[in-house]
Coordinates of all heavy atoms in Angstrom, one line a residue:
R1 N 90.4 65.2 134.7 CA 90.2 66.6 134.7 C 89.6 67.0 133.3 O 89.2 68.2 133.1 CB 91.5 67.3 135.0 CG 91.5 68.7 135.0 CD 91.9 69.3 136.3 NE 91.3 70.6 136.3 CZ 91.2 71.3 137.3 NH1 91.8 70.9 138.4 NH2 90.7 72.5 137.3
D2 N 89.6 66.1 132.4 CA 89.1 66.4 131.0 C 87.7 66.8 130.9 O 87.4 67.8 130.3 CB 89.5 65.2 130.1 CG 88.9 65.3 128.7 OD1 89.1 66.5 128.2 OD2 88.4 64.4 128.2
L3 N 86.8 66.1 131.6 CA 85.4 66.3 131.5 C 84.9 66.5 130.0 O 84.2 67.4 129.7 CB 85.0 67.5 132.3 CG 85.2 67.4 133.8 CD1 84.8 68.7 134.5 CD2 84.4 66.3 134.4
H4 N 85.3 65.5 129.3 CA 85.0 65.4 127.8 C 85.8 66.4 127.0 O 86.7 66.1 126.3 CB 83.5 65.5 127.5 CG 82.7 64.4 128.2 ND1 82.8 63.1 127.8 CD2 81.9 64.5 129.3 CE1 81.9 62.4 128.5 NE2 81.4 63.2 129.4
L5 N 85.5 67.7 127.1 CA 86.2 68.7 126.5 C 86.5 69.8 127.5 O 85.7 70.1 128.3 CB 85.4 69.4 125.3 CG 85.2 68.5 124.0 CD1 84.3 69.3 123.1 CD2 86.6 68.3 123.4
S6 N 87.7 70.4 127.4 CA 88.0 71.5 128.3 C 87.1 72.7 128.0 O 86.6 72.8 126.9 CB 89.5 71.9 128.1 OG 89.7 72.6 126.9
I7 N 86.9 73.5 129.0 CA 86.1 74.7 128.8 C 86.7 75.5 127.7 O 85.9 76.1 126.9 CB 85.9 75.5 130.2 CG1 85.1 74.7 131.1 CG2 85.4 76.9 129.9 CD1 85.0 75.3 132.5
R8 N 87.9 75.7 127.7 CA 88.6 76.5 126.6 C 88.3 76.0 125.3 O 87.9 76.7 124.3 CB 90.1 76.6 126.9 CG 90.8 77.4 125.8 CD 92.3 77.6 126.1 NE 92.4 78.4 127.4 CZ 93.3 78.1 128.4 NH1 94.1 77.1 128.2 NH2 93.4 78.9 129.4
R9 N 88.4 74.7 125.1 CA 88.1 74.0 123.8 C 86.6 74.1 123.5 O 86.3 74.4 122.2 CB 88.5 72.5 123.9 CG 88.3 71.8 122.6 CD 89.5 71.8 121.7 NE 89.3 70.9 120.6 CZ 89.0 71.3 119.4 NH1 89.0 72.5 119.0 NH2 88.8 70.4 118.5
Q10 N 85.7 74.0 124.4 CA 84.3 74.1 124.1 C 84.0 75.6 123.7 O 83.2 75.8 122.8 CB 83.5 73.8 125.3 CG 83.2 72.4 125.5 CD 82.1 72.0 126.5 OE1 81.7 72.9 127.2 NE2 81.8 70.7 126.6
R11 N 84.6 76.5 124.4 CA 84.4 78.0 124.0 C 84.9 78.2 122.5 O 84.2 78.9 121.8 CB 85.2 78.8 125.0 CG 85.0 80.3 124.7 CD 85.7 81.1 125.7 NE 85.6 82.6 125.4 CZ 86.3 83.3 124.7 NH1 87.4 82.7 124.1 NH2 86.1 84.6 124.4
Q12 N 86.0 77.7 122.2 CA 86.6 77.9 120.8 C 85.6 77.2 119.9 O 85.3 77.9 118.7 CB 87.9 77.2 120.7 CG 89.0 77.9 121.5 CD 90.3 77.1 121.5 OE1 90.3 75.9 121.3 NE2 91.4 77.8 122.0
M13 N 85.1 76.1 120.1 CA 84.2 75.4 119.2 C 82.9 76.2 119.1 O 82.3 76.2 118.0 CB 83.9 73.9 119.7 CG 85.2 73.0 119.5 SD 85.0 71.4 120.2 CE 84.0 70.7 118.9
C14 N 82.3 76.7 120.2 CA 81.1 77.4 120.2 C 81.3 78.6 119.3 O 80.4 79.0 118.6 CB 80.7 77.8 121.6 SG 79.9 76.5 122.5
I15 N 82.4 79.4 119.5 CA 82.7 80.6 118.6 C 82.8 80.2 117.2 O 82.2 80.8 116.3 CB 83.9 81.3 119.2 CG1 83.6 81.9 120.6 CG2 84.4 82.4 118.2 CD1 84.9 82.4 121.3
R16 N 83.6 79.2 116.9 CA 83.7 78.8 115.5 C 82.5 78.3 114.9 O 82.1 78.6 113.7 CB 84.8 77.7 115.5 CG 85.1 77.2 114.0 CD 86.0 76.0 114.0 NE 85.2 74.9 114.5 CZ 85.7 73.8 115.2 NH1 87.0 73.9 115.5 NH2 85.0 72.9 115.5
D17 N 81.7 77.4 115.6 CA 80.6 76.7 115.0 C 79.2 77.4 115.3 O 78.2 76.9 114.8 CB 80.6 75.2 115.5 CG 81.8 74.5 115.1 OD1 82.4 74.9 114.1 OD2 82.1 73.6 115.8
S18 N 79.2 78.2 116.3 CA 78.0 79.0 116.7 C 77.0 78.0 117.4 O 75.8 78.3 117.3 CB 77.3 79.7 115.5 OG 78.1 80.7 115.0
H19 N 77.4 76.9 118.0 CA 76.6 76.0 118.8 C 77.4 75.1 119.6 O 78.7 75.0 119.4 CB 75.6 75.2 117.8 CG 76.3 74.3 116.9 ND1 76.7 73.0 117.2 CD2 76.8 74.5 115.7 CE1 77.3 72.4 116.2 NE2 77.4 73.3 115.2
L20 N 76.9 74.5 120.6 CA 77.6 73.6 121.5 C 78.1 72.4 120.8 O 77.4 71.9 119.9 CB 76.7 73.2 122.6 CG 76.4 74.1 123.8 CD1 75.3 73.6 124.7 CD2 77.7 74.5 124.5
P21 N 79.3 71.8 121.1 CA 79.7 70.6 120.5 C 78.8 69.4 120.9 O 78.3 69.4 122.0 CB 81.1 70.3 121.2 CG 81.5 71.6 121.8 CD 80.2 72.4 122.0
G22 N 78.4 68.7 119.9 CA 77.5 67.5 120.1 C 76.0 67.9 120.0 O 75.2 67.0 120.1
V23 N 75.7 69.2 119.8 CA 74.3 69.6 119.6 C 74.2 70.1 118.1 O 75.1 70.9 117.7 CB 74.0 70.8 120.6 CG1 72.6 71.3 120.4 CG2 74.2 70.3 122.0
P24 N 73.2 69.7 117.4 CA 73.1 70.2 116.0 C 72.9 71.7 115.9 O 72.2 72.3 116.8 CB 71.8 69.4 115.6 CG 71.1 68.9 116.7 CD 72.1 68.8 117.8
S25 N 73.4 72.2 114.9 CA 73.2 73.6 114.6 C 71.8 74.0 114.2 O 71.0 73.1 113.8 CB 74.2 74.1 113.6 OG 73.8 73.6 112.3
A26 N 71.4 75.2 114.3 CA 70.0 75.6 113.9 C 69.9 75.4 112.3 O 68.8 74.9 111.9 CB 69.9 77.1 114.1
E27 N 71.0 75.6 111.6 CA 70.9 75.3 110.2 C 70.7 73.8 109.9 O 69.9 73.5 109.0 CB 72.2 75.8 109.4 CG 72.4 77.3 109.5 CD 73.0 77.8 110.8 OE1 73.7 76.9 111.5 OE2 72.9 78.9 111.1
N28 N 71.3 73.0 110.7 CA 71.2 71.5 110.5 C 69.8 71.1 110.8 O 69.2 70.3 110.1 CB 72.2 70.8 111.4 CG 72.2 69.3 111.2 OD1 71.2 68.7 111.2 ND2 73.4 68.8 111.0
V29 N 69.2 71.6 111.9 CA 67.8 71.3 112.3 C 66.9 71.8 111.2 O 65.9 71.1 110.9 CB 67.5 71.9 113.7 CG1 66.0 71.8 114.0 CG2 68.4 71.2 114.7
A30 N 67.1 73.0 110.7 CA 66.2 73.6 109.7 C 66.2 72.8 108.4 O 65.2 72.6 107.8 CB 66.6 75.0 109.4
S31 N 67.4 72.2 108.1 CA 67.5 71.5 106.8 C 67.2 70.1 106.9 O 66.6 69.5 106.0 CB 68.9 71.7 106.2 OG 69.8 71.1 106.9
Q32 N 67.5 69.5 108.1 CA 67.3 68.0 108.3 C 66.2 67.6 109.2 O 65.9 66.4 109.4 CB 68.6 67.4 108.6 CG 69.7 67.6 107.5 CD 71.0 66.9 107.9 OE1 71.1 66.2 108.9 NE2 72.0 67.1 107.1
G33 N 65.7 68.6 109.9 CA 64.6 68.3 110.9 C 65.3 68.1 112.3 O 66.5 68.0 112.4
L34 N 64.4 67.8 113.2 CA 64.8 67.6 114.6 C 64.6 66.2 115.0 O 63.4 65.7 115.0 CB 64.1 68.6 115.5 CG 64.4 68.5 117.0 CD1 65.9 68.9 117.3 CD2 63.5 69.4 117.8
D35 N 65.7 65.5 115.5 CA 65.6 64.2 116.0 C 65.4 64.4 117.5 O 66.4 64.7 118.2 CB 66.9 63.4 115.7 CG 67.0 62.0 116.4 OD1 65.9 61.6 116.9 OD2 68.1 61.5 116.4
L36 N 64.2 64.3 118.0 CA 63.9 64.5 119.4 C 64.7 63.6 120.3 O 65.2 64.0 121.4 CB 62.4 64.3 119.7 CG 61.5 65.5 119.2 CD1 60.0 65.2 119.4 CD2 61.9 66.9 119.7
T37 N 64.8 62.4 120.0 CA 65.6 61.4 120.8 C 67.0 61.9 120.9 O 67.7 61.9 122.0 CB 65.4 60.0 120.3 OG1 64.1 59.6 120.4 CG2 66.2 59.0 121.2
G38 N 67.6 62.2 119.7 CA 69.0 62.6 119.7 C 69.2 63.9 120.5 O 70.2 64.0 121.2
M39 N 68.2 64.8 120.4 CA 68.4 66.1 121.1 C 68.3 65.9 122.6 O 69.0 66.5 123.3 CB 67.2 67.1 120.6 CG 67.3 68.4 121.2 SD 68.9 69.3 120.9 CE 68.5 70.0 119.3
Q40 N 67.3 65.0 123.0 CA 67.2 64.7 124.4 C 68.5 64.1 124.9 O 69.0 64.4 126.1 CB 66.1 63.8 124.7 CG 64.7 64.5 124.6 CD 63.6 63.5 124.9 OE1 63.6 62.4 124.6 NE2 62.5 64.1 125.4
M41 N 69.1 63.2 124.2 CA 70.4 62.5 124.6 C 71.5 63.6 124.7 O 72.3 63.6 125.6 CB 70.8 61.4 123.6 CG 69.8 60.3 123.6 SD 69.7 59.5 125.3 CE 71.3 58.8 125.5
A42 N 71.6 64.5 123.7 CA 72.6 65.6 123.7 C 72.4 66.4 125.0 O 73.3 66.8 125.6 CB 72.5 66.4 122.4
Q43 N 71.1 66.8 125.2 CA 70.9 67.6 126.4 C 71.2 66.9 127.7 O 71.8 67.5 128.6 CB 69.4 68.0 126.4 CG 69.0 69.0 125.4 CD 67.5 69.3 125.3 OE1 66.6 68.5 125.8 NE2 67.1 70.4 124.8
L44 N 70.9 65.6 127.8 CA 71.3 64.9 129.0 C 72.8 64.8 129.2 O 73.4 65.0 130.3 CB 70.7 63.5 128.9 CG 69.3 63.3 129.2 CD1 68.8 61.8 129.0 CD2 69.0 63.7 130.7
E45 N 73.5 64.7 128.0 CA 75.0 64.7 128.0 C 75.5 66.0 128.6 O 76.4 66.1 129.4 CB 75.5 64.4 126.7 CG 77.0 64.3 126.7 CD 77.6 63.9 125.3 OE1 76.9 63.2 124.5 OE2 78.7 64.5 125.0
K46 N 74.9 67.1 128.1 CA 75.4 68.5 128.5 C 75.0 68.7 130.0 O 75.8 69.3 130.7 CB 74.7 69.6 127.7 CG 75.1 69.5 126.2 CD 76.6 69.6 126.1 CE 77.0 69.3 124.6 NZ 78.5 69.2 124.5
I47 N 73.8 68.2 130.5 CA 73.5 68.3 131.9 C 74.6 67.5 132.7 O 75.0 68.0 133.8 CB 72.1 67.8 132.1 CG1 71.1 68.8 131.5 CG2 71.8 67.6 133.6 CD1 69.7 68.2 131.4
E48 N 74.9 66.3 132.3 CA 75.9 65.6 133.0 C 77.2 66.3 133.0 O 77.9 66.3 134.1 CB 76.1 64.2 132.3 CG 77.1 63.3 133.1 CD 77.3 62.0 132.4 OE1 76.7 61.7 131.4 OE2 78.2 61.2 132.9
E49 N 77.7 66.9 132.0 CA 78.9 67.6 131.9 C 78.9 68.8 132.8 O 79.8 69.0 133.6 CB 79.2 68.1 130.4 CG 79.6 67.0 129.5 CD 79.7 67.5 128.1 OE1 79.6 68.8 127.9 OE2 79.8 66.7 127.2
L50 N 77.8 69.5 132.9 CA 77.6 70.7 133.8 C 77.6 70.2 135.2 O 78.2 70.9 136.1 CB 76.3 71.5 133.5 CG 76.3 72.2 132.2 CD1 74.9 72.8 131.9 CD2 77.3 73.4 132.3
T51 N 77.0 69.1 135.5 CA 77.0 68.6 136.9 C 78.4 68.2 137.3 O 78.8 68.6 138.4 CB 76.0 67.4 137.0 OG1 74.7 67.8 136.6 CG2 76.0 66.8 138.4
L52 N 79.1 67.5 136.5 CA 80.5 67.1 136.8 C 81.4 68.3 137.0 O 82.2 68.3 137.9 CB 81.1 66.2 135.7 CG 80.4 64.8 135.7 CD1 80.9 64.0 134.5 CD2 80.5 64.0 137.0
R53 N 81.2 69.3 136.1 CA 82.0 70.5 136.2 C 81.7 71.2 137.6 O 82.6 71.7 138.3 CB 81.7 71.5 135.1 CG 82.4 71.2 133.8 CD 82.2 72.3 132.8 NE 82.4 71.8 131.5 CZ 83.5 71.6 130.9 NH1 84.6 71.7 131.5 NH2 83.6 71.2 129.6
G54 N 80.4 71.3 137.9 CA 80.0 71.9 139.2 C 80.6 71.2 140.4 O 81.1 71.8 141.3
I55 N 80.6 69.8 140.4 CA 81.2 69.1 141.4 C 82.7 69.4 141.5 O 83.2 69.6 142.6 CB 80.9 67.6 141.3 CG1 79.4 67.3 141.4 CG2 81.8 66.7 142.2 CD1 79.0 65.9 141.0
A56 N 83.4 69.4 140.4 CA 84.8 69.6 140.3 C 85.1 71.1 140.9 O 86.1 71.3 141.6 CB 85.4 69.5 138.9
Q57 N 84.3 72.0 140.5 CA 84.5 73.4 140.9 C 84.2 73.5 142.4 O 85.0 74.2 143.2 CB 83.6 74.4 140.2 CG 84.0 74.6 138.7 CD 82.9 75.4 138.0 OE1 81.8 75.5 138.4 NE2 83.4 76.0 136.9
H58 N 83.3 72.8 142.9 CA 83.0 72.8 144.3 C 84.2 72.3 145.2 O 84.6 72.8 146.2 CB 81.7 72.0 144.7 CG 81.4 72.0 146.1 ND1 80.9 73.1 146.8 CD2 81.5 71.0 147.1 CE1 80.7 72.8 148.1 NE2 81.0 71.5 148.2
K59 N 84.8 71.1 144.7 CA 85.9 70.6 145.3 C 87.1 71.6 145.3 O 87.8 71.8 146.3 CB 86.4 69.3 144.6 CG 85.5 68.2 144.9 CD 86.0 66.9 144.1 CE 85.1 65.7 144.4 NZ 85.5 64.6 143.6
T60 N 87.3 72.3 144.2 CA 88.3 73.3 144.1 C 88.1 74.4 145.0 O 89.0 74.9 145.7 CB 88.4 73.8 142.6 OG1 88.7 72.7 141.7 CG2 89.5 74.9 142.5
I61 N 86.9 74.9 145.1 CA 86.6 76.0 146.1 C 86.8 75.6 147.5 O 87.4 76.4 148.3 CB 85.1 76.4 145.9 CG1 84.9 77.1 144.5 CG2 84.6 77.3 147.0 CD1 83.5 77.3 144.1
I62 N 86.4 74.4 147.9 CA 86.6 73.9 149.3 C 88.2 73.9 149.5 O 88.6 74.3 150.6 CB 86.0 72.5 149.5 CG1 84.5 72.5 149.3 CG2 86.4 71.9 150.8 CD1 83.8 73.5 150.3
S63 N 88.9 73.3 148.6 CA 90.3 73.3 148.8 C 91.0 74.7 148.9 O 91.8 75.0 149.7 CB 91.0 72.6 147.6 OG 92.4 72.6 147.6
Q64 N 90.5 75.6 148.0 CA 91.0 77.0 148.0 C 90.6 77.7 149.3 O 91.4 78.5 149.9 CB 90.5 77.8 146.9 CG 91.1 77.3 145.5 CD 90.5 78.0 144.3 OE1 89.4 78.5 144.4 NE2 91.2 78.0 143.2
E65 N 89.4 77.5 149.8 CA 89.0 78.0 151.1 C 89.9 77.6 152.3 O 90.3 78.4 153.1 CB 87.5 77.8 151.4 CG 86.6 78.5 150.6 CD 85.1 78.2 150.7 OE1 84.8 77.0 151.2 OE2 84.2 79.0 150.3
A66 N 90.2 76.3 152.3 CA 91.0 75.8 153.3 C 92.4 76.4 153.2 O 93.1 76.7 154.2 CB 91.1 74.2 153.3
R67 N 92.9 76.5 152.0 CA 94.3 77.1 151.8 C 94.2 78.6 152.3 O 95.2 79.0 153.0 CB 94.7 77.0 150.4 CG 96.0 77.5 150.1 CD 96.6 77.2 148.8 NE 98.0 77.6 148.7 CZ 98.4 78.5 147.8 NH1 97.7 79.0 146.9 NH2 99.7 78.7 147.8
I68 N 93.2 79.3 151.9 CA 93.1 80.7 152.4 C 93.1 80.8 153.9 O 93.8 81.6 154.5 CB 91.9 81.4 151.7 CG1 92.1 81.6 150.3 CG2 91.5 82.7 152.5 CD1 90.8 82.0 149.5
D69 N 92.4 79.9 154.6 CA 92.3 79.9 156.0 C 93.7 79.6 156.6 O 94.1 80.3 157.6 CB 91.3 78.8 156.5 CG 89.9 79.1 156.2 OD1 89.6 80.3 156.0 OD2 89.0 78.2 156.3
R70 N 94.4 78.7 156.1 CA 95.8 78.4 156.6 C 96.7 79.6 156.3 O 97.5 80.0 157.2 CB 96.4 77.2 155.8 CG 95.7 75.9 156.3 CD 96.5 74.7 155.8 NE 96.7 74.7 154.4 CZ 96.0 74.2 153.4 NH1 94.8 73.7 153.8 NH2 96.3 74.2 152.1
L71 N 96.6 80.2 155.2 CA 97.4 81.4 154.9 C 97.1 82.6 155.8 O 98.0 83.3 156.2 CB 97.3 81.8 153.4 CG 98.0 80.8 152.4 CD1 97.6 81.2 151.0 CD2 99.5 80.8 152.6
E72 N 95.8 82.8 156.0 CA 95.4 83.9 156.9 C 95.9 83.7 158.3 O 96.3 84.6 159.0 CB 93.9 84.1 156.9 CG 93.3 84.7 155.7 CD 91.8 84.8 155.6 OE1 91.2 84.0 156.4 OE2 91.3 85.6 154.8
A73 N 95.9 82.4 158.8 CA 96.4 82.1 160.1 C 97.9 82.3 160.2 O 98.4 82.9 161.1 CB 96.0 80.7 160.5
L74 N 98.6 81.9 159.1 CA 100.0 82.2 159.0 C 100.4 83.7 159.1 O 101.2 84.1 159.8 CB 100.6 81.5 157.8 CG 102.1 81.8 157.5 CD1 102.9 81.1 158.6 CD2 102.5 81.1 156.2
V75 N 99.6 84.5 158.3 CA 99.8 85.9 158.3 C 99.6 86.5 159.7 O 100.4 87.3 160.2 CB 99.0 86.6 157.3 CG1 98.9 88.1 157.4 CG2 99.4 86.2 155.8
E76 N 98.6 86.1 160.3 CA 98.3 86.6 161.7 C 99.5 86.2 162.6 O 99.9 87.1 163.5 CB 97.0 85.9 162.2 CG 95.8 86.6 161.7 CD 94.5 86.0 162.2 OE1 94.5 85.4 163.3 OE2 93.5 86.0 161.5
R77 N 100.0 85.0 162.6 CA 101.0 84.6 163.5 C 102.3 85.5 163.1 O 103.0 85.9 164.0 CB 101.4 83.1 163.3 CG 100.5 82.2 164.0 CD 101.0 80.8 164.1 NE 101.4 80.3 162.8 CZ 100.6 79.5 162.1 NH1 99.4 79.0 162.5 NH2 101.0 79.0 160.9
L78 N 102.6 85.7 161.8 CA 103.7 86.5 161.5 C 103.5 87.9 161.9 O 104.5 88.5 162.4 CB 103.9 86.5 159.9 CG 104.4 85.1 159.4 CD1 104.3 85.2 157.8 CD2 105.7 84.7 159.8
V79 N 102.4 88.5 161.9 CA 102.2 89.9 162.3 C 102.4 90.0 163.8 O 102.9 90.9 164.4 CB 100.8 90.3 161.8 CG1 100.4 91.7 162.5 CG2 100.8 90.5 160.3
E80 N 101.9 89.0 164.5 CA 101.9 88.9 166.0 C 103.3 88.8 166.4 O 103.7 89.3 167.5 CB 101.1 87.8 166.6 CG 99.6 88.0 166.5 CD 98.8 86.7 166.9 OE1 99.4 85.7 167.2 OE2 97.5 86.8 166.8
N81 N 104.2 88.1 165.7 CA 105.6 87.8 166.1 C 106.6 88.9 165.6 O 107.8 88.7 165.8 CB 106.0 86.5 165.6 CG 105.3 85.4 166.3 OD1 104.9 85.5 167.4 ND2 105.2 84.3 165.6
R82 N 106.1 90.0 165.1 CA 107.0 91.1 164.7 C 107.7 91.7 165.8 O 107.5 92.0 166.8 CB 106.1 92.2 164.0 CG 105.9 91.9 162.6 CD 105.2 93.1 161.9 NE 105.6 93.1 160.6 CZ 105.4 94.1 159.7 NH1 104.8 95.1 160.2 NH2 105.7 94.0 158.5

């Protein structure tokens, strides 16, 4: 469930550092230049993280939809049996 860093932790780091974890800051790029290979690797890593998060969220949504369906059916039975 970790997916490298939790969303909460990534948000905290983005607020504190003003850039994504693992991606160089604008100041760093301005002072040290841009390593295109490193940047592409960082972007690929972020794409992979987003893809994995999307898959995990989809699984959660499917599970929640099934639970909602079961609960709605239960409510209907309870209302009918009043």
